[in-house]
């Protein structure tokens, strides 16, 4: 599967270039450090969503190990954002950001944002 994902990632980039795409939001596959999306050396921004026990055979068996792998998307000079993570994961992300020389910014809860009319933002899908 990793080879297939690498192929699809490169195919996606090829299509973006051929179609003149100005902005693309890319989600990593397995994780940051070993992910094929890391061919992008200077993205505009990086973000890490809620961490959980996915792909433990490749990323590690603790949240700290998984966080270290996911933090592989951090790049010097590129802003990085995350949400509040469980203890060891948050600590690890902060250490990794410091190692790269960037600040890790905590995103505010969705409920703190409002539409221009003052209404709460509702997601189209259920989620945390």
């Amino acid at each position: 599967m990793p080879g297939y994902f690498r192929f699809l990632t490169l195919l996606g980039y090829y299509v973006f270039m051929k179609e003149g795409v100005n902005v693309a939001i890319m989600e990593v596959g397995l994780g940051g450090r070993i992910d094929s999306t890391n061919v992008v050396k200077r993205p505009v921004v990086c973000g890490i969503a809620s961490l959980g026990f996915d792909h433990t055979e490749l990323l590690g068996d603790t949240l700290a190990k998984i966080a270290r792998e996911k933090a592989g998307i951090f790049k010097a000079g590129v802003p990085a954002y995350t949400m509040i993570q469980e203890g060891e994961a948050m600590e690890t992300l902060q250490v990794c950001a410091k190692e790269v020389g960037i600040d890790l910014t905590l995103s505010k809860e969705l409920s703190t944002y409002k539409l221009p009319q003052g209404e709460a933002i509702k997601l189209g899908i259920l989620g945390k």
Side-chain angles (χ1 to χ4, degrees):
M1 184 64 146
Y4 181 64
F5 183 77
R6 274 181 253 157
F7 167 74
L8 290 179
T9 301
L10 290 174
L11 179 62
Y13 293 151
Y14 175 78
V15 171
F16 294 162
M17 288 187 306
K18 287 301 245 184
E19 294 297 319
V21 172
N22 292 320
V23 176
I25 298 173
M26 301 172 292
E27 181 179 8
V28 298
L30 294 173
R33 188 180 64 83
I34 59 174
D35 200 86
S36 58
T37 58
N38 254 340
V39 299
V40 177
K41 297 300 179 198
R42 186 135 170 97
V44 174
V45 66
C46 292
I48 295 181
S50 177
L51 296 177
F53 289 97
D54 297 332
H55 311 294
T56 53
E57 67 283 354
L58 294 170
L59 302 178
D61 58 359
T62 68
L63 284 179
K65 290 177 183 175
I66 293 167
R68 179 158 287 284
E69 290 296 325
K70 296 286 187 173
I73 65 168
F74 293 165
K75 310 278 190 284
V78 176
Y81 292 83
T82 193
M83 57 185 292
I84 294 175
Q85 307 285 349
E86 289 189 33
E88 65 178 350
M90 190 74 230
E91 204 173 292
T92 302
L93 291 176
Q94 289 169 330
V95 167
C96 292
K98 187 178 254 186
E99 290 172 358
V100 176
I102 60 173
D103 292 324
L104 180 61
T105 303
L106 282 178
S107 296
K108 295 186 272 182
E109 289 287 327
L110 182 63
S111 61
T112 64
Y113 295 96
K114 304 288 182 216
L115 294 172
Q117 304 83 4
E119 298 173 34
I121 297 173
K122 296 178 185 169
L123 296 177
I125 57 173
L126 295 177
K128 287 187 176 183

